[in-house]
Amino acid sequence: MDGPAPVFGAVRPGATLQLTYWRGEIRYVDYQGMRQYTEADPRGGHRLPFVAALALGSVGAACLRTAYCWARRTNGPPAHEPWRFRVPLAAVLLISCFALGTPWVTSGVTIALLLTAAGAVPVLGVAARLSRRHHRRTTDTIEVNPQVPAAEVCFPGAVRGEVPYSQPEFGYLVAGPGLLAATSDPAGRVARRPVPRTLTALRVRPPYWTDPGPRPAPGSQVVECRDGATPVYVVTEPAYVAQVLGALARPADARAQRP
């Protein structure tokens, strides 16, 4: 019996009970208007597989939606922007957590599905609004004012592109007045590869999936450049982008930007 109440603690030897069998097991016992279920009670047996189905269904729907949006994109390569990952992930996690609880507080599959759908509607609405707000931006260009370094500074960064001064093992940049160089030395004193004065900065933007080289660290920014007809990308942390622009500025521009 499933616990001592109400039938188990009330019956005595010789009492007449009504037993209900199903598939060879006693499922519940009736005695003087009281009913007590046994350990073989099949009610609720659907809950665990139903929870798994709802959770997997939520994740699967999110994956299908992401694939659909990726296939329909026509406005160039998407940037490595955190919201593209965080908004769908947060929506899926919230819906999955809500779906995990509905089978335990309802007695049927239909009610649990309706309750899950009711909880998913506001979550999807907020996610769609956030995504629409980001998509409404007409450009992903980041406005940065160039800052000419007063002296040479060395910081993490890399030059990428099909140019001789782009070296995969060089993970630092040296910036100074009229100087930008890639180096493998954290102090920036040796193994320098200066970029030529023909390198022109076009704009600052987030990293793209199609940018050459390994994926940059989270939060990095890209100074999109041209060396003649060759595209070149200078990748560094946001705190150093202004100094990269200042180092690439022409002498006349550098004098105008110098404090």
Side-chain angles (χ1 to χ4, degrees):
M1 303 290 288
D2 187 10
V7 174
F8 186 80
V11 296
R12 296 293 181 266
T16 301
L17 306 175
Q18 182 179 349
L19 310 179
T20 299
Y21 282 83
W22 184 62
R23 292 187 177 179
E25 293 186 84
I26 299 175
R27 307 298 178 164
Y28 57 86
V29 178
D30 291 305
Y31 173 65
Q32 295 183 353
M34 299 180 294
R35 174 172 293 179
Q36 183 173 352
Y37 289 88
T38 69
E39 294 288 353
D41 178 18
R43 296 177 310 160
H46 69 286
R47 286 191 170 99
L48 193 57
F50 190 41
V51 163
L54 287 175
L56 292 176
S58 301
V59 175
C63 292
L64 289 175
R65 174 63 178 171
T66 301
Y68 174 76
C69 293
W70 180 269
R72 290 196 59 186
R73 65 181 178 87
T74 57
N75 58 344
H80 285 291
E81 295 177 300
W83 71 268
R84 296 181 182 271
F85 173 75
R86 292 173 182 169
V87 171
L89 178 61
V92 170
L93 289 178
L94 287 174
I95 294 174
S96 298
C97 291
F98 191 77
L100 292 176
T102 55
W104 304 102
V105 298
T106 57
S107 58
V109 172
T110 303
I111 299 177
L113 286 174
L114 292 175
L115 192 59
T116 300
V121 168
V123 174
L124 293 176
V126 172
R129 184 174 181 179
L130 291 175
S131 298
R132 193 179 302 113
R133 181 192 304 173
H134 286 286
H135 279 300
R136 274 203 298 263
R137 293 180 306 179
T138 57
T139 179
D140 57 2
T141 299
I142 303 171
E143 296 294 334
V144 180
N145 293 322
Q147 178 183 354
V148 180
E152 290 187 1
V153 291
C154 184
F155 48 85
V159 178
R160 296 173 181 171
E162 296 182 1
V163 288
Y165 46 90
S166 173
Q167 300 294 326
E169 66 276 10
F170 285 11
Y172 296 90
L173 297 173
V174 178
L179 168 70
L180 181 67
T183 178
S184 59
D185 179 17
R189 297 189 180 91
V190 297
R192 292 184 177 187
R193 280 293 184 92
V195 304
R197 300 305 296 170
T198 54
L199 187 66
T200 303
L202 302 179
R203 63 171 183 146
V204 181
R205 60 165 174 79
Y208 285 167
W209 295 99
T210 53
D211 287 345
R215 183 177 301 182
S220 298
Q221 292 179 356
V222 174
V223 181
E224 190 175 306
C225 307
R226 286 277 178 178
D227 189 351
T230 305
V232 181
Y233 309 95
V234 181
V235 184
T236 187
E237 300 174 10
Y240 306 113
V241 170
Q243 299 182 67
V244 170
L245 294 176
L248 291 176
R250 297 292 186 268
D253 299 333
R255 287 193 297 270
Q257 293 294 336
R258 187 186 299 274

Short mmCIF file of all heavy atoms in Angstrom, two decimals, residues 5 15 18 22-23 62 81 88 91 98 113 169 174 187 203 206 210 216 218 246 258:
data_model
loop_
_atom_site.label_atom_id
_atom_site.label_comp_id
_atom_site.label_asym_id
_atom_site.label_seq_id
_atom_site.Cartn_x
_atom_site.Cartn_y
_atom_site.Cartn_z
N ALA A 5 -2.51 5.57 5.23
CA ALA A 5 -3.85 6.14 5.20
C ALA A 5 -4.35 6.19 3.76
O ALA A 5 -3.57 6.24 2.82
CB ALA A 5 -3.83 7.55 5.81
N ALA A 15 -11.86 -8.05 7.31
CA ALA A 15 -12.58 -6.98 6.62
C ALA A 15 -12.73 -7.31 5.14
O ALA A 15 -11.90 -8.01 4.55
CB ALA A 15 -11.85 -5.66 6.79
N GLN A 18 -12.44 -4.22 -1.62
CA GLN A 18 -12.61 -4.30 -3.07
C GLN A 18 -11.28 -3.93 -3.72
O GLN A 18 -10.78 -2.82 -3.54
CB GLN A 18 -13.71 -3.35 -3.55
CG GLN A 18 -13.93 -3.44 -5.07
CD GLN A 18 -15.04 -2.50 -5.54
OE1 GLN A 18 -15.76 -1.94 -4.71
NE2 GLN A 18 -15.16 -2.34 -6.84
N TRP A 22 -5.15 -4.37 -12.58
CA TRP A 22 -4.88 -3.96 -13.96
C TRP A 22 -3.52 -4.48 -14.35
O TRP A 22 -2.52 -4.22 -13.69
CB TRP A 22 -4.93 -2.42 -14.09
CG TRP A 22 -4.77 -1.94 -15.51
CD1 TRP A 22 -5.58 -2.19 -16.56
CD2 TRP A 22 -3.70 -1.12 -16.00
NE1 TRP A 22 -5.12 -1.59 -17.70
CE2 TRP A 22 -3.96 -0.91 -17.39
CE3 TRP A 22 -2.57 -0.54 -15.43
CZ2 TRP A 22 -3.12 -0.16 -18.19
CZ3 TRP A 22 -1.75 0.21 -16.24
CH2 TRP A 22 -2.01 0.41 -17.61
N ARG A 23 -3.50 -5.29 -15.41
CA ARG A 23 -2.28 -5.92 -15.90
C ARG A 23 -1.57 -6.70 -14.80
O ARG A 23 -0.37 -6.63 -14.62
CB ARG A 23 -1.34 -4.86 -16.49
CG ARG A 23 -1.86 -4.24 -17.76
CD ARG A 23 -0.83 -3.32 -18.42
NE ARG A 23 -1.33 -2.79 -19.69
CZ ARG A 23 -0.67 -1.96 -20.48
NH1 ARG A 23 0.55 -1.56 -20.10
NH2 ARG A 23 -1.19 -1.52 -21.60
N ALA A 62 13.86 25.45 -31.08
CA ALA A 62 14.81 26.56 -31.14
C ALA A 62 15.88 26.31 -32.19
O ALA A 62 16.28 27.22 -32.91
CB ALA A 62 15.44 26.75 -29.76
N GLU A 81 28.02 38.85 -32.23
CA GLU A 81 27.40 39.69 -31.23
C GLU A 81 26.76 38.80 -30.16
O GLU A 81 26.09 37.82 -30.47
CB GLU A 81 26.34 40.58 -31.87
CG GLU A 81 26.95 41.59 -32.85
CD GLU A 81 25.90 42.42 -33.53
OE1 GLU A 81 25.04 41.83 -34.21
OE2 GLU A 81 25.94 43.64 -33.38
N PRO A 88 18.24 33.78 -27.80
CA PRO A 88 17.60 32.47 -28.00
C PRO A 88 17.87 31.49 -26.87
O PRO A 88 16.98 30.72 -26.48
CB PRO A 88 18.21 31.97 -29.33
CG PRO A 88 18.74 33.19 -29.99
CD PRO A 88 19.17 34.10 -28.90
N ALA A 91 15.64 32.29 -23.92
CA ALA A 91 14.25 31.92 -24.20
C ALA A 91 14.05 30.41 -24.08
O ALA A 91 13.08 29.94 -23.48
CB ALA A 91 13.85 32.40 -25.60
N PHE A 98 9.92 26.01 -17.53
CA PHE A 98 8.47 26.04 -17.32
C PHE A 98 7.84 24.72 -17.74
O PHE A 98 6.94 24.20 -17.06
CB PHE A 98 7.87 27.20 -18.11
CG PHE A 98 6.45 27.49 -17.77
CD1 PHE A 98 6.13 28.16 -16.60
CD2 PHE A 98 5.42 27.10 -18.61
CE1 PHE A 98 4.81 28.43 -16.28
CE2 PHE A 98 4.10 27.36 -18.29
CZ PHE A 98 3.80 28.04 -17.12
N LEU A 113 0.15 20.59 -21.89
CA LEU A 113 0.55 21.23 -23.15
C LEU A 113 0.00 22.65 -23.24
O LEU A 113 0.71 23.57 -23.66
CB LEU A 113 0.05 20.40 -24.33
CG LEU A 113 0.81 19.10 -24.62
CD1 LEU A 113 0.11 18.32 -25.73
CD2 LEU A 113 2.25 19.38 -25.01
N GLU A 169 51.31 33.43 -35.44
CA GLU A 169 51.86 33.30 -34.09
C GLU A 169 52.04 34.64 -33.38
O GLU A 169 52.42 34.68 -32.21
CB GLU A 169 53.20 32.56 -34.12
CG GLU A 169 54.34 33.30 -34.83
CD GLU A 169 54.34 33.10 -36.34
OE1 GLU A 169 53.34 32.54 -36.87
OE2 GLU A 169 55.32 33.48 -36.98
N VAL A 174 51.92 46.62 -31.26
CA VAL A 174 52.64 47.78 -30.73
C VAL A 174 52.11 49.00 -31.46
O VAL A 174 52.13 49.05 -32.70
CB VAL A 174 54.16 47.65 -30.92
CG1 VAL A 174 54.86 48.90 -30.40
CG2 VAL A 174 54.68 46.42 -30.20
N ALA A 187 56.25 42.10 -24.47
CA ALA A 187 56.78 43.42 -24.13
C ALA A 187 56.87 44.33 -25.36
O ALA A 187 57.09 45.54 -25.22
CB ALA A 187 58.15 43.29 -23.48
N ARG A 203 36.73 51.22 -41.00
CA ARG A 203 35.72 51.33 -39.95
C ARG A 203 36.03 50.34 -38.85
O ARG A 203 36.90 49.45 -39.00
CB ARG A 203 34.32 51.05 -40.50
CG ARG A 203 34.14 49.62 -41.05
CD ARG A 203 32.70 49.34 -41.37
NE ARG A 203 32.50 47.96 -41.82
CZ ARG A 203 31.41 47.24 -41.55
NH1 ARG A 203 30.43 47.77 -40.85
NH2 ARG A 203 31.28 46.00 -42.00
N PRO A 206 32.07 44.71 -35.13
CA PRO A 206 32.24 43.43 -34.41
C PRO A 206 32.87 42.39 -35.34
O PRO A 206 32.85 42.54 -36.57
CB PRO A 206 30.80 43.01 -34.04
CG PRO A 206 29.97 44.23 -34.24
CD PRO A 206 30.64 45.04 -35.30
N THR A 210 32.99 35.13 -41.00
CA THR A 210 33.80 34.90 -42.20
C THR A 210 35.17 35.55 -42.12
O THR A 210 35.94 35.46 -43.08
CB THR A 210 33.06 35.43 -43.44
OG1 THR A 210 32.69 36.80 -43.20
CG2 THR A 210 31.81 34.61 -43.70
N PRO A 216 38.01 35.25 -32.60
CA PRO A 216 38.59 36.15 -31.59
C PRO A 216 37.96 35.94 -30.22
O PRO A 216 36.91 35.30 -30.09
CB PRO A 216 38.29 37.54 -32.14
CG PRO A 216 37.07 37.34 -32.99
CD PRO A 216 37.20 35.97 -33.58
N PRO A 218 35.86 36.72 -26.84
CA PRO A 218 34.58 37.41 -26.67
C PRO A 218 34.79 38.89 -26.35
O PRO A 218 35.65 39.26 -25.56
CB PRO A 218 33.94 36.67 -25.50
CG PRO A 218 34.57 35.32 -25.51
CD PRO A 218 35.98 35.53 -25.98
N GLY A 246 44.56 55.67 -34.01
CA GLY A 246 45.52 56.77 -33.94
C GLY A 246 46.85 56.43 -34.56
O GLY A 246 47.48 57.27 -35.22
N ARG A 258 45.98 64.63 -31.81
CA ARG A 258 46.86 64.61 -30.64
C ARG A 258 46.37 65.65 -29.63
O ARG A 258 46.16 66.81 -29.98
CB ARG A 258 48.30 64.88 -31.03
CG ARG A 258 49.26 64.69 -29.84
CD ARG A 258 50.66 65.11 -30.27
NE ARG A 258 51.15 64.31 -31.37
CZ ARG A 258 51.76 63.14 -31.21
NH1 ARG A 258 51.93 62.65 -29.98
NH2 ARG A 258 52.20 62.47 -32.24
#
